[in-house]
Amino acid sequence: MSSELLDALTALEQQKGIKRDVLIEAIEAALVTAYKRNFNQAQNVRVDINLDSGSMIVYSRKDVVEEVEDERLQVSLADAQVINPHYQVGDVIEEEVTPRNFGRIAAQTAKQVVTQRVREAERGLIYEEYVDREEDIVNGIVERLDARNIYVGLGKVEAVLPTNEQIPTETYRPHDRIKVFITKVERTTRGPQVFVSRTHPGLLRRLFEMEVPEIYDGIVEIKSIAREAGDRSKISVVAHHEDVDPVGACVGAKGARVQTIVNELGGEKIDIVEWSEDPVQFVANALSPSQVLDVQVSDDDKSTTVVVPDFQLSLAIGKRGQNARLAAKLTGWKIDIKSETDARELGIYPRAFEESVEEDYEDFEPQEDFDFYKD
């Protein structure tokens, strides 16, 4: 092996991050195969590469045994002790068997191995880089489209954005810059495969972490997310500092923070509500922008009956039931919405509160509407 190739291996280590020792081991293993194939040899051999001189030496390896069964792989103890009286059964004797024209074959083999290992190492490095970024947000460029998928360039790898992970209201064109959420990274025979999404709730979470310093710092926490991508989403937030308004922090001055996220998601409406450990207050908050008169809780089946003013019934339910559906996903409670008139006719509103129930409702106040993107 020439010193130029050794220099090339050193350069690859610096540029690609591939350890030179790894490449040397791979070349040695490939040279063993090349030797057996090109010189019709079946014995056990080892190839040693001298890093100082660049020379390559082929050694045959034979096990020392009492009785020889295969002369290509074994040597008797008596013959071994002629070479060195210290040999014992189980030792291995090495003898140089380097062919005269082995250098040309070695150079070709080394080139093939290096090319293959560089490709494999690059794939491995890419996989390690992106597998650590699962459930993270990245910037990408739309490169091409087919009937089912959109392919997004992330720099070193091309990610797949499947049809079911695309926002229905968005149109993607080549060279568009978009933010995507990495959902899965897989090893394949053709290299690492990265799958991304524009509809995953995690995308919304990461966008808020990027835009709201209080969330990034842990002062405000996103407790839950309910999303119908491209149309409407709800998030519940709570502050871990009494002087911080969690909803206001997410909205930002004049709605600037949330508007940035809305723009990134193509105009998707976002309701931001305050989380509460009290299901009565939490469900009432989650039904924003509707006003809520009463929330009746059944712990047995984790369901609630919500009473709203007659003129707010359609707002509480939402178009195609969307507002109620998202509120249920956000809170984890089943929600049955009744108008005030229907609730009175059913005799469930107003309730004859017991003293303990009255105390529970002393602090209950319907939450103001924090949705800046009303229907």
Side-chain angles (χ1 to χ4, degrees):
M1 182 183 297
S2 66
S3 59
E4 288 80 5
L5 183 53
L6 291 175
D7 292 339
L9 297 181
T10 302
L12 284 173
E13 182 175 24
Q14 297 172 349
Q15 297 171 9
K16 303 291 186 180
I18 309 170
K19 297 295 184 182
R20 188 173 68 164
D21 292 344
V22 173
L23 287 172
I24 293 295
E25 290 177 6
I27 292 172
E28 289 176 348
L31 289 177
V32 169
T33 302
Y35 171 80
K36 292 181 179 181
R37 182 179 64 247
N38 287 275
F39 297 96
N40 296 319
Q41 298 295 324
Q43 73 260 43
N44 184 18
V45 298
R46 177 180 69 86
V47 176
D48 179 66
I49 298 177
N50 188 309
L51 297 180
D52 295 325
S53 64
S55 63
M56 291 165 294
I57 302 175
V58 183
Y59 294 97
S60 69
R61 294 168 57 86
K62 294 184 179 181
D63 297 324
V64 178
V65 296
E66 290 283 359
E67 184 176 347
V68 176
E69 297 179 356
D70 188 338
E71 293 183 353
R72 296 171 303 176
L73 305 176
Q74 299 170 333
V75 62
S76 68
L77 177 61
D79 290 342
Q81 289 182 340
V82 170
I83 301 172
N84 188 327
H86 295 291
Y87 277 128
Q88 299 294 328
V89 172
D91 290 343
V92 176
I93 293 179
E94 292 189 342
E95 179 184 2
E96 182 179 348
V97 292
T98 309
R100 182 175 300 177
N101 60 340
F102 189 61
R104 176 181 56 80
I105 295 172
Q108 294 174 348
T109 303
K111 181 178 180 181
Q112 294 171 356
V113 170
V114 169
T115 302
Q116 179 182 357
R117 283 307 177 105
V118 166
R119 187 182 301 114
E120 291 175 355
E122 287 178 339
R123 289 174 175 176
L125 293 172
I126 292 171
Y127 175 82
E128 294 300 331
E129 175 183 350
Y130 284 96
V131 76
D132 290 339
R133 302 194 68 179
E134 280 188 355
E135 299 187 358
D136 198 2
I137 190 173
V138 293
N139 292 308
I141 299 176
V142 176
E143 292 187 344
R144 57 192 177 92
L145 302 81
D146 63 23
R148 295 181 301 172
N149 303 319
I150 292 174
Y151 299 90
V152 182
L154 303 183
K156 296 179 180 179
V157 70
E158 187 177 68
V160 178
L161 179 62
T163 301
N164 61 337
E165 299 292 348
Q166 300 167 22
I167 296 178
T169 56
E170 287 187 334
T171 300
Y172 305 95
R173 299 180 180 85
H175 310 301
D176 284 351
R177 294 182 177 273
I178 58 174
K179 288 183 171 65
V180 291
F181 183 79
I182 297 178
T183 57
K184 182 172 59 175
V185 180
E186 295 181 344
R187 288 187 186 273
T188 70
T189 55
R190 294 182 298 175
Q193 183 70 74
V194 180
F195 295 91
V196 295
S197 172
R198 287 278 292 170
T199 63
H200 197 285
L203 177 64
L204 190 59
R205 181 183 294 273
R206 294 302 185 201
L207 286 172
F208 270 98
E209 289 175 352
M210 292 172 60
E211 292 297 330
V212 182
E214 290 85 350
I215 293 179
Y216 182 83
D217 294 335
I219 299 172
V220 173
E221 178 186 355
I222 297 176
K223 298 292 287 187
S224 58
I225 296 176
R227 187 178 182 206
E228 294 187 0
D231 197 355
R232 195 181 200 101
S233 296
K234 288 180 180 286
I235 72 167
S236 66
V237 293
V238 64
H240 297 300
H241 194 291
E242 60 182 10
D243 295 331
V244 175
D245 171 18
V247 176
C250 294
V251 171
K254 298 181 180 180
R257 290 176 176 175
V258 71
Q259 186 62 55
T260 300
I261 298 173
V262 169
N263 293 340
E264 172 60 36
L265 298 178
E268 182 175 316
K269 299 174 183 179
I270 302 174
D271 297 337
I272 306 170
V273 303
E274 186 169 0
W275 176 87
S276 174
E277 62 182 6
D278 177 11
V280 172
Q281 185 68 59
F282 189 23
V283 169
N285 293 350
L287 283 170
S288 169
S290 171
Q291 178 187 352
V292 173
L293 299 176
D294 188 18
V295 178
Q296 300 174 22
V297 176
S298 173
D299 289 318
D300 294 338
D301 57 355
K302 203 170 184 182
S303 64
T304 62
T305 300
V306 179
V307 181
V308 300
D310 291 357
F311 70 94
Q312 294 256 308
L313 180 61
S314 61
L315 182 62
I317 296 174
K319 188 185 302 182
R320 300 183 300 278
Q322 185 184 65
N323 194 57
R325 185 168 58 250
L326 286 173
K329 289 180 182 178
L330 188 73
T331 61
W333 287 78
K334 299 176 183 177
I335 300 176
D336 181 20
I337 301 175
K338 304 286 187 186
S339 67
E340 181 179 356
T341 298
D342 289 344
R344 289 182 183 276
E345 290 178 355
L346 293 171
I348 61 174
Y349 180 82
R351 287 187 283 171
F353 293 124
E354 296 177 358
E355 182 178 351
S356 60
V357 178
E358 290 177 346
E359 291 176 356
D360 289 341
Y361 272 81
E362 284 180 359
D363 298 328
F364 174 72
E365 295 180 2
Q367 188 181 36
E368 294 294 332
D369 175 19
F370 287 99
D371 178 17
F372 289 85
Y373 315 95
K374 299 179 184 177
D375 291 327

